[in-house]
Amino acid sequence: QVQLVESGGGSVQAGGSLRLSCVASAYIACMAWFRQAPGKEREGVAAIFAASITNYTDSVKGRFTISKDNYKNTVYLQMNSLKPSDTAMYYCAARGSAGCTYYSAMDYWGEGTLVTISS
């Protein structure tokens, strides 16, 4: 069992930046970020395999960057040029089997951290 703990959420104005962090209790190669906006289904945002293979959902390409520090068992999500539509609860997730994309089924989930973007 892998525990995931997110941090870094908050409230910023549109155009601002936030950096989310997620610490895993053990090394796991595939980690990802998902989000769920009020009244909407949860959606995958970005995923990273090992520390270098990344993929993103179209709506965040060019604005968000996922990265991973394998020594710290930590995944980050740098979010720039934030929009009100990015407002959501952001969840860290991890997968212990083959296939690592933002639309893959995940095995482990964090509790979430809230991101609120005001216009």
Side-chain angles (χ1 to χ4, degrees):
Q1 190 77 3
V2 176
Q3 280 77 46
L4 304 172
V5 179
E6 306 98 332
S7 62
S11 299
V12 297
Q13 290 190 325
S17 298
L18 281 173
R19 188 195 197 202
L20 306 183
S21 301
C22 171
V23 180
S25 60
Y27 173 77
I28 188 162
C30 177
M31 297 186 75
W33 288 96
F34 287 71
R35 66 185 179 185
Q36 187 167 18
K40 295 188 177 181
E41 292 187 355
R42 185 171 58 195
E43 64 170 347
V45 175
I48 185 166
F49 180 77
S52 58
I53 302 173
T54 62
N55 55 90
Y56 300 86
T57 191
D58 285 348
S59 63
V60 307
K61 285 180 180 177
R63 300 189 299 122
F64 291 12
T65 303
I66 189 170
S67 61
K68 192 165 177 278
D69 185 332
N70 288 329
Y71 293 103
K72 297 181 179 179
N73 295 334
T74 300
V75 65
Y76 305 96
L77 187 68
Q78 178 66 44
M79 306 185 294
N80 298 329
S81 302
L82 284 160
K83 305 175 181 179
S85 57
D86 295 316
T87 295
M89 185 71 79
Y90 282 71
Y91 297 92
C92 177
R95 177 177 169 90
S97 52
C100 187
T101 69
Y102 63 87
Y103 48 86
S104 299
M106 296 290 155
D107 299 311
Y108 308 104
W109 292 89
E111 296 291 322
T113 185
L114 182 62
V115 172
T116 304
I117 312 302
S118 58
S119 58

